[in-house]
Amino acid sequence: VDKRRESGIIEENNESSGHTYEKIGKIDFSDKKAIAKSLQEFEHKYSDSDVEHCRVICTNGEVYDVHGDLDTVDTTLLGDKLKGSINEHNHVTGRSQYSFSWEDLSSCADDGTKAAIAFDEKFRYSMTFPEKHIPFDTVYNAYEKAKFSVLEDMFGNPESIPEGDEQNAIINRVCKELKIKYSRIAR
């Protein structure tokens, strides 16, 4: 473990969770092609992984891969480097709700992520956050309201939400309310 962050290999280990990160390089944050290439490389590398990983591209151009476990990846290991970042993470095949989770939404809103992308075996989804910080309570309240409205729709108008698509409906409604640009496309 390189606590001084000089080797670029494994820089820190969250011993309570076993999550680690490594600096894998540096790119020009204003170069959209370089960012797209980095994210494509990440997706190819981890598309069949049995744990979650996250590629974080920081505003200063530093690029990190964070390595998690079966159900999550702890990007908080990077601290303030997440502010304004672009990140992408995988969901392990067969373990996805085919949408962002509450944890994905709340952590990205809280840490200042600019754009979050995730993928699983069926979909690629993205959230682009507004410039203005969204307080945790606002995100939480919008999420709870969306959960309740999705439940109402499932009972009152069950054909309006396809079976198994409840989480996507929740995230979609939260994003609309909070003016977070959200999309989900088939892979």
Side-chain angles (χ1 to χ4, degrees), residues 78-173:
L78 295 176
D80 287 342
K81 292 178 182 287
L82 295 167
K83 286 188 170 100
S85 70
I86 297 169
N87 63 61
E88 179 172 19
H89 73 279
N90 67 305
H91 285 163
V92 176
T93 300
R95 304 221 20 121
S96 180
Q97 296 177 322
Y98 304 114
S99 179
F100 285 108
S101 66
W102 156 249
E103 292 81 9
D104 295 334
L105 172 66
S106 63
S107 65
C108 288
D110 186 53
D111 65 29
T113 293
K114 177 61 181 165
I117 305 158
F119 67 92
D120 52 46
E121 68 275 17
K122 291 186 179 182
F123 298 102
R124 180 178 296 105
Y125 17 93
S126 67
M127 293 184 290
T128 304
F129 291 82
E131 294 294 324
K132 188 173 124 184
H133 178 262
I134 306 168
F136 176 83
D137 289 346
T138 303
V139 177
Y140 179 79
N141 291 335
Y143 189 83
E144 290 299 310
K145 178 181 166 185
K147 272 189 354 186
F148 182 75
S149 82
V150 166
L151 277 173
E152 278 186 327
D153 286 352
M154 288 172 57
F155 289 110
N157 187 11
E159 61 278 352
S160 68
I161 300 172
E163 186 176 336
D165 212 23
E166 299 87 358
Q167 182 64 21
N168 181 60
I170 293 167
I171 294 295
N172 194 22
R173 291 176 190 192

Side-chain angles (χ1 to χ4, degrees), residues 47-61:
S47 64
D48 294 323
S49 178
D50 57 356
V51 298
E52 287 195 11
H53 303 272
C54 185
R55 168 84 34 106
V56 178
I57 303 172
C58 305
T59 58
N60 68 0

